[in-house]
Amino acid sequence: MTSAIPEPARGYERWPGRVGRTVPETQRAWPRERRAPEGSPNIVVVLLDDMGYSDIGPFGSEIATPNLDRLAAGGFRLTNYHTTPVCSPARAAALTGLNPRRAGYASVANSDPGLPNLRLELDEDVLALPEILRGAGYATFAIGKWHLTRDALMNDAASKHTWPLQRGFDRYYGTLEGCNSFFHPNRLIRDNSPLDLVDVPDGYYLTDDLTDNAVAMIKALRANDSRKPFFFYFAHHAMHGPLGAKPVDLQKYRGRYAQGWDEVRRRRHAKQVGQGIVGPDVPLPPRNAEPGFDVPSWESLPAEQQRLFARHMEVYAAMVDTVDQSLGRVLDTIASYGELDNTIVIFTSDNGGTAEGGREGTRSYFSRFVHVAGLPADWNPDVDRDLDLLGGPQTMIHYPRGWGMASNTPFRFYKGQTFAGGVRVPFLLSWPAGRLRRTDDNGLRHQYQYVTDLLPTLLELAGVTSPEVRNGLAAKSVDGFSFVPVLESESAESTHPEQYAEFGGNRGYYSRGWKIVTNHRPGADFDDSEWELYDVRSDPTELHNLADAEPARLKELADAWEQAAWANTVFPLADGRTLSAVRRPAETELERPLRLLPGTPKLERYRSSKLVNLRSFTVDVAFHYSPGDQGVLVAHGDQGGGYLLYVEDCEVRGAYNEYGRLHEFSAGRIGGGRHVVRWDARWLPDFRWAITVQVDGTTRGGLEPMAMLIGMAPFSGIDVGTNRGGPVSWGVHQRHRDFPFDGRIDSVTYAPGELAAYSPELVAQAERDIAEFYD
């Protein structure tokens, strides 16, 4: 008797070739199947984005989080858990156990200056947690925000070596970007392929969609394998801006924040003391008052501002509530298979609450989020909107930094800083079957632990040994330490006694209860005069600077930071002024003229931006028109900013969404036949464009100088013959949805023009030229 054994087709996604040779049954050998030991626990890691220390019930919040309350009641609350100041470094550290710079992530995945610690790629000798667990027989799933692929590698032609499936996940559904719209998401990825979303239905909400897919992945696994343990990494886009919430959840929080952030802080702090999260002798610090971080008293605000600011927080609270509901659905699904007790569940945040909404908050997130030097004094980071629209699909909002301060109760400052407000976040762990918690144990753990400890802790709990090689290379050793001893005993010593911190020029070092930290001013020298010293055992809110009283201890810790910085490739230090503008020469390919044909999938955001960002550009649309035809010719952007050319009622029309302010105009009627319509944007001083529209070579309309769309705007990419995803014009969307063009489009041609004189790329190139001259 014989059996056909297929030839291996390594490296191919599909193998259309012939079946391999036939061999005798006596020579048949089944390949070894990698299966985890019977009874291995499932692992679920839920990671929030920009959530502060006090934003969930188990850490003092008034927001309804019954599922998180349930986890805390039977599990552990790590009250002294620390992370990195921003998201991509935290995610890299959590998934690899390496300090961020050793993992290649000194910053978020939106730059590429060519330094080893800023490659924004996990190196070939860096093992990721899903790779280790998959090798041990686990199914591995990822949902939501990835943000571990630098923006130049997100397009369809780029290498996928940093995408989730290539870093150890079997399945993935979510967004490679760092943020997204909750109502009209930009570029969702399923496994290795972007989805071609024609139009999302009314009532769509991203968190619900992610949860639907998470539940479906678990059900699909259990339908085909009843025993295989799984690792589920659910990385929410919440709470990152722009904020958005469902009407049903918003209604639950109407009027709940009229008392303001000062009172919310007081109540949360009191609840934290009552819960034992902080000691009764830990005071609530005064409001942040430092320039650029200051928060006014709630009572000093006019009533109109109070109403507006309270509405921002209602949206935020509704989003936290929705995340808890999402977790409940996932846990209920696992429970339906009888596996919840033997599932390790971790819930935490990648950094503290943010101040990026500014002092007044914003309804124009991408305008507020612009980080370009030299913006004119009249740059408007907000836009008027009816209060009832806040948090819905027509707004791109973020809360004022007063609410970020409240999110981080009882700590000072925000995301991006090395003070506790930026790096100390809630952490829950539950595993009933592990029997780590005694019946007389309240589950509170006050020992210092760090984000790199997540990987070794999970491996120890799961009984998995990490291999020492990856793809034939010796794997980098991890920097984290398992905190299983801390879980087993509340009196155990911290397993992570020392740790450096750094981001954007802000520095910090923790050592056995002492901490030094800086509040670096961009452009200032990096010197020892910036250091502050705190005894965080007795002063966890970092109120009493002991730098002058203990100069020897300060110097000892400053020297330790220096040694750690050299060991972790922290240098050169940068505060973001120039390095973020430096890009590898290969990216010039993305700035060449581009011809798009009808049917081209929507272009990815960053690839699209290289055609228009901080420069002049033209767009030529060649199409055939018959009377009655209508629809979108070309669209780029969404409600956060963009531009649109379309035909309606026999007219060519243009729309420019200036970070939420819509400007519309007519370019006149057209007759039947072939036409070429040109959108012409010419750069002007002070980050503005002059926009004209020509029809068959004749200027037919335009707009007064408009604020340039820069930074992350337009956030949604270029569409030919339709406006899929977020609509540029809400009126067009209401009338026609995605509005596909009825006629025939020949092509859409982009011609990137002259870079503006204030373009950071020109500044960076000048710096490179000077450096080469002096070399």
Side-chain angles (χ1 to χ4, degrees), residues 535-590:
D535 181 351
V536 292
R537 295 165 299 184
S538 60
D539 182 22
T541 51
E542 301 164 351
L543 287 175
H544 306 293
N545 181 9
L546 303 177
D548 292 337
E550 299 226 27
R553 189 183 299 274
L554 186 145
K555 184 179 186 307
E556 177 187 350
L557 294 181
D559 290 344
W561 182 90
E562 184 95 3
Q563 293 173 20
W566 283 114
N568 288 277
T569 66
V570 170
F571 298 110
L573 279 178
D575 54 19
R577 288 172 296 156
T578 56
L579 283 180
S580 62
V582 179
R583 293 283 180 163
R584 64 183 64 199
E587 286 196 26
T588 57
E589 173 65 29
L590 303 179

Short mmCIF file of all heavy atoms in Angstrom, two decimals, residues 535-590:
data_model
loop_
_atom_site.label_atom_id
_atom_site.label_comp_id
_atom_site.label_asym_id
_atom_site.label_seq_id
_atom_site.Cartn_x
_atom_site.Cartn_y
_atom_site.Cartn_z
N ASP A 535 11.92 60.42 46.88
CA ASP A 535 11.80 59.16 47.61
C ASP A 535 10.36 58.69 47.40
O ASP A 535 9.45 59.10 48.13
CB ASP A 535 12.10 59.38 49.09
CG ASP A 535 12.02 58.08 49.89
OD1 ASP A 535 11.57 57.05 49.33
OD2 ASP A 535 12.38 58.09 51.09
N VAL A 536 10.16 57.84 46.40
CA VAL A 536 8.79 57.49 46.02
C VAL A 536 8.17 56.45 46.94
O VAL A 536 6.99 56.12 46.78
CB VAL A 536 8.74 57.02 44.55
CG1 VAL A 536 9.03 58.18 43.61
CG2 VAL A 536 9.68 55.87 44.28
N ARG A 537 8.92 55.97 47.93
CA ARG A 537 8.30 55.11 48.94
C ARG A 537 7.38 55.94 49.84
O ARG A 537 6.26 55.53 50.15
CB ARG A 537 9.38 54.42 49.78
CG ARG A 537 10.24 53.43 48.98
CD ARG A 537 11.48 53.06 49.76
NE ARG A 537 12.33 54.25 50.02
CZ ARG A 537 13.51 54.21 50.62
NH1 ARG A 537 13.99 53.05 51.03
NH2 ARG A 537 14.20 55.32 50.81
N SER A 538 7.86 57.10 50.24
CA SER A 538 7.06 57.98 51.09
C SER A 538 6.40 59.11 50.32
O SER A 538 5.50 59.77 50.84
CB SER A 538 7.95 58.58 52.19
OG SER A 538 9.01 59.34 51.62
N ASP A 539 6.83 59.31 49.08
CA ASP A 539 6.35 60.43 48.27
C ASP A 539 6.04 59.95 46.85
O ASP A 539 6.65 60.39 45.88
CB ASP A 539 7.43 61.53 48.25
CG ASP A 539 7.01 62.77 47.47
OD1 ASP A 539 5.79 62.99 47.31
OD2 ASP A 539 7.90 63.51 47.02
N PRO A 540 5.08 59.03 46.70
CA PRO A 540 4.82 58.46 45.37
C PRO A 540 4.27 59.46 44.36
O PRO A 540 4.37 59.23 43.15
CB PRO A 540 3.80 57.35 45.64
CG PRO A 540 3.13 57.76 46.92
CD PRO A 540 4.20 58.44 47.72
N THR A 541 3.71 60.57 44.83
CA THR A 541 3.18 61.57 43.90
C THR A 541 4.23 62.62 43.53
O THR A 541 3.90 63.61 42.87
CB THR A 541 1.93 62.25 44.49
OG1 THR A 541 2.23 62.72 45.81
CG2 THR A 541 0.77 61.28 44.56
N GLU A 542 5.47 62.41 43.95
CA GLU A 542 6.61 63.21 43.48
C GLU A 542 6.39 64.71 43.72
O GLU A 542 6.46 65.53 42.82
CB GLU A 542 6.87 62.92 42.00
CG GLU A 542 7.18 61.45 41.74
CD GLU A 542 7.08 61.03 40.28
OE1 GLU A 542 6.60 61.85 39.45
OE2 GLU A 542 7.46 59.90 39.96
N LEU A 543 6.17 65.02 45.00
CA LEU A 543 5.92 66.40 45.39
C LEU A 543 7.14 67.08 46.01
O LEU A 543 7.29 68.30 45.90
CB LEU A 543 4.76 66.46 46.40
CG LEU A 543 3.35 66.22 45.84
CD1 LEU A 543 2.34 66.19 46.97
CD2 LEU A 543 2.98 67.29 44.83
N HIS A 544 8.01 66.31 46.66
CA HIS A 544 9.09 66.90 47.45
C HIS A 544 10.43 66.58 46.81
O HIS A 544 10.99 65.49 46.99
CB HIS A 544 9.02 66.37 48.89
CG HIS A 544 7.68 66.57 49.53
ND1 HIS A 544 7.18 67.82 49.83
CD2 HIS A 544 6.71 65.68 49.88
CE1 HIS A 544 5.99 67.70 50.36
NE2 HIS A 544 5.67 66.40 50.41
N ASN A 545 10.94 67.54 46.06
CA ASN A 545 12.21 67.39 45.35
C ASN A 545 13.37 67.45 46.36
O ASN A 545 13.58 68.48 47.00
CB ASN A 545 12.34 68.49 44.29
CG ASN A 545 13.61 68.39 43.49
OD1 ASN A 545 14.36 67.41 43.59
ND2 ASN A 545 13.88 69.41 42.69
N LEU A 546 14.14 66.38 46.46
CA LEU A 546 15.24 66.28 47.42
C LEU A 546 16.60 66.45 46.77
O LEU A 546 17.62 66.07 47.36
CB LEU A 546 15.17 64.91 48.13
CG LEU A 546 13.86 64.60 48.87
CD1 LEU A 546 13.89 63.19 49.46
CD2 LEU A 546 13.59 65.62 49.96
N ALA A 547 16.62 67.01 45.56
CA ALA A 547 17.88 67.14 44.84
C ALA A 547 18.90 67.95 45.62
O ALA A 547 20.09 67.59 45.69
CB ALA A 547 17.65 67.76 43.46
N ASP A 548 18.48 69.04 46.22
CA ASP A 548 19.42 69.88 46.98
C ASP A 548 19.81 69.23 48.29
O ASP A 548 20.94 69.40 48.77
CB ASP A 548 18.81 71.25 47.23
CG ASP A 548 18.65 72.07 45.96
OD1 ASP A 548 19.38 71.79 44.99
OD2 ASP A 548 17.78 72.97 45.93
N ALA A 549 18.88 68.47 48.89
CA ALA A 549 19.16 67.87 50.18
C ALA A 549 20.04 66.64 50.09
O ALA A 549 20.74 66.29 51.06
CB ALA A 549 17.84 67.51 50.87
N GLU A 550 20.00 65.93 48.94
CA GLU A 550 20.77 64.69 48.80
C GLU A 550 21.55 64.69 47.50
O GLU A 550 21.29 63.88 46.59
CB GLU A 550 19.82 63.48 48.85
CG GLU A 550 19.05 63.37 50.15
CD GLU A 550 19.07 61.95 50.70
OE1 GLU A 550 20.03 61.21 50.41
OE2 GLU A 550 18.13 61.61 51.41
N PRO A 551 22.54 65.57 47.36
CA PRO A 551 23.29 65.65 46.11
C PRO A 551 24.07 64.38 45.80
O PRO A 551 24.22 64.01 44.63
CB PRO A 551 24.22 66.84 46.34
CG PRO A 551 24.33 66.97 47.82
CD PRO A 551 23.00 66.57 48.35
N ALA A 552 24.58 63.69 46.79
CA ALA A 552 25.35 62.47 46.54
C ALA A 552 24.45 61.38 45.96
O ALA A 552 24.84 60.67 45.02
CB ALA A 552 26.00 61.99 47.83
N ARG A 553 23.25 61.23 46.52
CA ARG A 553 22.34 60.21 45.99
C ARG A 553 21.90 60.59 44.56
O ARG A 553 21.81 59.72 43.68
CB ARG A 553 21.11 60.07 46.89
CG ARG A 553 20.24 58.88 46.51
CD ARG A 553 18.99 58.81 47.38
NE ARG A 553 19.31 58.63 48.78
CZ ARG A 553 19.52 57.46 49.36
NH1 ARG A 553 19.49 56.34 48.62
NH2 ARG A 553 19.77 57.39 50.64
N LEU A 554 21.66 61.86 44.34
CA LEU A 554 21.27 62.29 43.00
C LEU A 554 22.36 61.97 41.99
O LEU A 554 22.09 61.45 40.91
CB LEU A 554 20.94 63.78 42.99
CG LEU A 554 20.38 64.33 41.66
CD1 LEU A 554 19.36 65.43 41.94
CD2 LEU A 554 21.48 64.86 40.76
N LYS A 555 23.60 62.24 42.34
CA LYS A 555 24.71 61.96 41.43
C LYS A 555 24.84 60.46 41.18
O LYS A 555 25.09 60.02 40.04
CB LYS A 555 26.02 62.49 41.99
CG LYS A 555 27.21 62.31 41.04
CD LYS A 555 28.48 62.88 41.60
CE LYS A 555 29.61 62.81 40.56
NZ LYS A 555 29.79 61.47 39.99
N GLU A 556 24.65 59.67 42.22
CA GLU A 556 24.73 58.22 42.06
C GLU A 556 23.69 57.72 41.06
O GLU A 556 23.98 56.91 40.18
CB GLU A 556 24.52 57.55 43.42
CG GLU A 556 24.50 56.03 43.36
CD GLU A 556 24.12 55.41 44.69
OE1 GLU A 556 24.07 56.14 45.71
OE2 GLU A 556 23.86 54.19 44.71
N LEU A 557 22.48 58.22 41.18
CA LEU A 557 21.41 57.79 40.27
C LEU A 557 21.62 58.36 38.87
O LEU A 557 21.32 57.70 37.86
CB LEU A 557 20.05 58.20 40.82
CG LEU A 557 19.63 57.52 42.13
CD1 LEU A 557 18.25 58.00 42.56
CD2 LEU A 557 19.64 56.01 41.98
N ALA A 558 22.11 59.59 38.78
CA ALA A 558 22.39 60.17 37.46
C ALA A 558 23.47 59.38 36.75
O ALA A 558 23.39 59.15 35.53
CB ALA A 558 22.79 61.63 37.61
N ASP A 559 24.49 58.96 37.49
CA ASP A 559 25.54 58.12 36.89
C ASP A 559 24.98 56.77 36.46
O ASP A 559 25.35 56.24 35.41
CB ASP A 559 26.68 57.92 37.89
CG ASP A 559 27.50 59.18 38.13
OD1 ASP A 559 27.37 60.13 37.32
OD2 ASP A 559 28.24 59.22 39.12
N ALA A 560 24.05 56.23 37.26
CA ALA A 560 23.44 54.95 36.89
C ALA A 560 22.59 55.09 35.62
O ALA A 560 22.58 54.19 34.77
CB ALA A 560 22.58 54.44 38.05
N TRP A 561 21.89 56.25 35.51
CA TRP A 561 21.13 56.48 34.27
C TRP A 561 22.08 56.52 33.07
O TRP A 561 21.79 55.93 32.02
CB TRP A 561 20.35 57.80 34.35
CG TRP A 561 19.52 58.03 33.12
CD1 TRP A 561 18.25 57.64 32.91
CD2 TRP A 561 19.96 58.64 31.90
NE1 TRP A 561 17.84 57.97 31.64
CE2 TRP A 561 18.87 58.59 30.99
CE3 TRP A 561 21.15 59.23 31.48
CZ2 TRP A 561 18.94 59.10 29.70
CZ3 TRP A 561 21.22 59.74 30.19
CH2 TRP A 561 20.14 59.68 29.32
N GLU A 562 23.20 57.19 33.22
CA GLU A 562 24.16 57.30 32.13
C GLU A 562 24.66 55.93 31.70
O GLU A 562 24.74 55.62 30.50
CB GLU A 562 25.33 58.17 32.58
CG GLU A 562 26.36 58.44 31.49
CD GLU A 562 26.13 59.76 30.77
OE1 GLU A 562 25.20 60.48 31.16
OE2 GLU A 562 26.87 60.04 29.83
N GLN A 563 24.99 55.08 32.66
CA GLN A 563 25.46 53.74 32.33
C GLN A 563 24.38 52.93 31.62
O GLN A 563 24.64 52.24 30.64
CB GLN A 563 25.92 53.04 33.60
CG GLN A 563 27.15 53.64 34.26
CD GLN A 563 27.47 53.01 35.60
OE1 GLN A 563 27.02 51.91 35.90
NE2 GLN A 563 28.23 53.72 36.42
N ALA A 564 23.15 53.02 32.14
CA ALA A 564 22.04 52.30 31.51
C ALA A 564 21.77 52.82 30.10
O ALA A 564 21.43 52.06 29.19
CB ALA A 564 20.78 52.42 32.36
N ALA A 565 21.92 54.14 29.92
CA ALA A 565 21.69 54.73 28.61
C ALA A 565 22.69 54.20 27.59
O ALA A 565 22.32 53.87 26.45
CB ALA A 565 21.79 56.25 28.70
N TRP A 566 23.97 54.10 27.98
CA TRP A 566 24.95 53.53 27.06
C TRP A 566 24.66 52.07 26.77
O TRP A 566 24.77 51.60 25.63
CB TRP A 566 26.36 53.69 27.63
CG TRP A 566 26.91 55.08 27.50
CD1 TRP A 566 27.19 55.95 28.51
CD2 TRP A 566 27.23 55.76 26.29
NE1 TRP A 566 27.65 57.14 28.02
CE2 TRP A 566 27.70 57.05 26.64
CE3 TRP A 566 27.16 55.41 24.93
CZ2 TRP A 566 28.11 57.99 25.70
CZ3 TRP A 566 27.56 56.35 23.99
CH2 TRP A 566 28.03 57.62 24.37
N ALA A 567 24.25 51.32 27.79
CA ALA A 567 23.98 49.89 27.62
C ALA A 567 22.76 49.63 26.75
O ALA A 567 22.65 48.56 26.13
CB ALA A 567 23.80 49.24 28.99
N ASN A 568 21.85 50.60 26.69
CA ASN A 568 20.59 50.39 25.96
C ASN A 568 20.49 51.26 24.70
O ASN A 568 19.39 51.49 24.20
CB ASN A 568 19.40 50.66 26.88
CG ASN A 568 19.21 49.58 27.91
OD1 ASN A 568 18.60 48.55 27.64
ND2 ASN A 568 19.75 49.79 29.12
N THR A 569 21.61 51.74 24.20
CA THR A 569 21.69 52.53 22.96
C THR A 569 20.73 53.72 22.99
O THR A 569 20.05 54.00 22.00
CB THR A 569 21.43 51.66 21.71
OG1 THR A 569 20.08 51.18 21.72
CG2 THR A 569 22.38 50.49 21.63
N VAL A 570 20.67 54.41 24.13
CA VAL A 570 19.78 55.57 24.24
C VAL A 570 20.34 56.76 23.47
O VAL A 570 19.58 57.59 22.96
CB VAL A 570 19.57 55.93 25.72
CG1 VAL A 570 18.86 57.28 25.87
CG2 VAL A 570 18.76 54.83 26.41
N PHE A 571 21.65 56.85 23.36
CA PHE A 571 22.25 58.00 22.67
C PHE A 571 22.23 57.80 21.15
O PHE A 571 22.31 56.67 20.67
CB PHE A 571 23.68 58.21 23.17
CG PHE A 571 23.76 58.51 24.63
CD1 PHE A 571 24.29 57.59 25.52
CD2 PHE A 571 23.27 59.70 25.14
CE1 PHE A 571 24.35 57.85 26.87
CE2 PHE A 571 23.32 59.98 26.49
CZ PHE A 571 23.87 59.05 27.36
N PRO A 572 22.12 58.89 20.36
CA PRO A 572 22.09 60.29 20.80
C PRO A 572 20.72 60.69 21.34
O PRO A 572 19.69 60.28 20.83
CB PRO A 572 22.39 61.06 19.51
CG PRO A 572 21.85 60.18 18.43
CD PRO A 572 22.09 58.77 18.89
N LEU A 573 20.75 61.51 22.38
CA LEU A 573 19.51 62.05 22.92
C LEU A 573 18.93 63.06 21.95
O LEU A 573 19.66 63.83 21.33
CB LEU A 573 19.76 62.74 24.26
CG LEU A 573 19.86 61.85 25.50
CD1 LEU A 573 20.17 62.71 26.72
CD2 LEU A 573 18.57 61.08 25.71
N ALA A 574 17.64 63.06 21.83
CA ALA A 574 16.96 64.02 20.94
C ALA A 574 15.62 64.36 21.54
O ALA A 574 14.99 63.51 22.19
CB ALA A 574 16.80 63.46 19.54
N ASP A 575 15.18 65.58 21.33
CA ASP A 575 13.87 65.96 21.85
C ASP A 575 12.85 66.15 20.73
O ASP A 575 11.87 66.85 20.86
CB ASP A 575 13.94 67.21 22.72
CG ASP A 575 14.62 68.39 22.03
OD1 ASP A 575 14.70 68.37 20.79
OD2 ASP A 575 15.07 69.32 22.73
N GLY A 576 13.12 65.51 19.57
CA GLY A 576 12.14 65.48 18.49
C GLY A 576 12.19 66.64 17.54
O GLY A 576 11.36 66.74 16.63
N ARG A 577 13.17 67.53 17.67
CA ARG A 577 13.17 68.73 16.84
C ARG A 577 13.56 68.44 15.39
O ARG A 577 13.04 69.03 14.46
CB ARG A 577 14.11 69.78 17.43
CG ARG A 577 13.60 70.43 18.70
CD ARG A 577 14.68 71.29 19.31
NE ARG A 577 15.82 70.50 19.72
CZ ARG A 577 17.05 70.98 19.86
NH1 ARG A 577 17.30 72.24 19.58
NH2 ARG A 577 18.04 70.20 20.26
N THR A 578 14.52 67.53 15.18
CA THR A 578 15.00 67.31 13.82
C THR A 578 14.97 65.85 13.39
O THR A 578 14.74 65.54 12.24
CB THR A 578 16.45 67.83 13.66
OG1 THR A 578 17.28 67.17 14.64
CG2 THR A 578 16.50 69.32 13.87
N LEU A 579 15.20 64.93 14.33
CA LEU A 579 15.33 63.53 13.94
C LEU A 579 14.07 63.00 13.27
O LEU A 579 14.15 62.19 12.35
CB LEU A 579 15.66 62.68 15.16
CG LEU A 579 17.11 62.74 15.65
CD1 LEU A 579 17.29 61.84 16.85
CD2 LEU A 579 18.07 62.33 14.54
N SER A 580 12.90 63.46 13.70
CA SER A 580 11.66 62.93 13.14
C SER A 580 11.49 63.29 11.67
O SER A 580 10.71 62.66 10.95
CB SER A 580 10.45 63.44 13.93
OG SER A 580 10.37 64.85 13.85
N ALA A 581 12.21 64.30 11.19
CA ALA A 581 12.08 64.70 9.79
C ALA A 581 12.99 63.90 8.88
O ALA A 581 12.83 63.94 7.66
CB ALA A 581 12.39 66.19 9.65
N VAL A 582 13.94 63.19 9.45
CA VAL A 582 14.92 62.47 8.63
C VAL A 582 14.31 61.15 8.15
O VAL A 582 13.78 60.38 8.96
CB VAL A 582 16.20 62.20 9.42
CG1 VAL A 582 17.21 61.43 8.58
CG2 VAL A 582 16.82 63.52 9.90
N ARG A 583 14.37 60.92 6.86
CA ARG A 583 13.82 59.70 6.28
C ARG A 583 14.85 59.05 5.37
O ARG A 583 15.71 59.71 4.81
CB ARG A 583 12.55 60.01 5.47
CG ARG A 583 11.39 60.49 6.32
CD ARG A 583 10.72 59.34 7.03
NE ARG A 583 9.61 59.78 7.85
CZ ARG A 583 8.66 58.97 8.33
NH1 ARG A 583 8.72 57.67 8.06
NH2 ARG A 583 7.69 59.42 9.07
N ARG A 584 14.72 57.73 5.21
CA ARG A 584 15.69 57.03 4.37
C ARG A 584 15.49 57.41 2.91
O ARG A 584 14.35 57.66 2.46
CB ARG A 584 15.61 55.52 4.58
CG ARG A 584 14.32 54.86 4.20
CD ARG A 584 14.38 53.37 4.52
NE ARG A 584 14.51 53.16 5.97
CZ ARG A 584 14.94 52.01 6.50
NH1 ARG A 584 15.28 51.01 5.73
NH2 ARG A 584 15.01 51.88 7.81
N PRO A 585 16.57 57.46 2.13
CA PRO A 585 16.47 57.91 0.72
C PRO A 585 15.49 57.11 -0.11
O PRO A 585 14.91 57.63 -1.06
CB PRO A 585 17.91 57.74 0.22
CG PRO A 585 18.76 57.85 1.44
CD PRO A 585 17.97 57.24 2.55
N ALA A 586 15.27 55.85 0.25
CA ALA A 586 14.36 55.02 -0.55
C ALA A 586 12.94 55.57 -0.58
O ALA A 586 12.17 55.27 -1.50
CB ALA A 586 14.34 53.59 0.00
N GLU A 587 12.59 56.41 0.39
CA GLU A 587 11.23 56.95 0.42
C GLU A 587 10.96 57.96 -0.69
O GLU A 587 9.81 58.33 -0.91
CB GLU A 587 10.94 57.58 1.78
CG GLU A 587 10.73 56.57 2.88
CD GLU A 587 10.06 57.18 4.10
OE1 GLU A 587 9.34 58.19 3.96
OE2 GLU A 587 10.26 56.65 5.20
N THR A 588 12.00 58.40 -1.38
CA THR A 588 11.76 59.31 -2.50
C THR A 588 10.92 58.65 -3.58
O THR A 588 10.27 59.33 -4.37
CB THR A 588 13.08 59.79 -3.11
OG1 THR A 588 13.86 58.66 -3.51
CG2 THR A 588 13.89 60.61 -2.10
N GLU A 589 10.91 57.33 -3.61
CA GLU A 589 10.06 56.61 -4.57
C GLU A 589 8.59 56.97 -4.35
O GLU A 589 7.80 57.00 -5.32
CB GLU A 589 10.25 55.10 -4.39
CG GLU A 589 9.30 54.23 -5.20
CD GLU A 589 9.51 54.37 -6.71
OE1 GLU A 589 10.65 54.67 -7.13
OE2 GLU A 589 8.54 54.17 -7.46
N LEU A 590 8.22 57.27 -3.11
CA LEU A 590 6.83 57.59 -2.80
C LEU A 590 6.45 59.00 -3.21
O LEU A 590 5.29 59.37 -3.12
CB LEU A 590 6.58 57.42 -1.30
CG LEU A 590 6.89 56.04 -0.71
CD1 LEU A 590 6.61 56.03 0.79
CD2 LEU A 590 6.09 54.95 -1.41
#
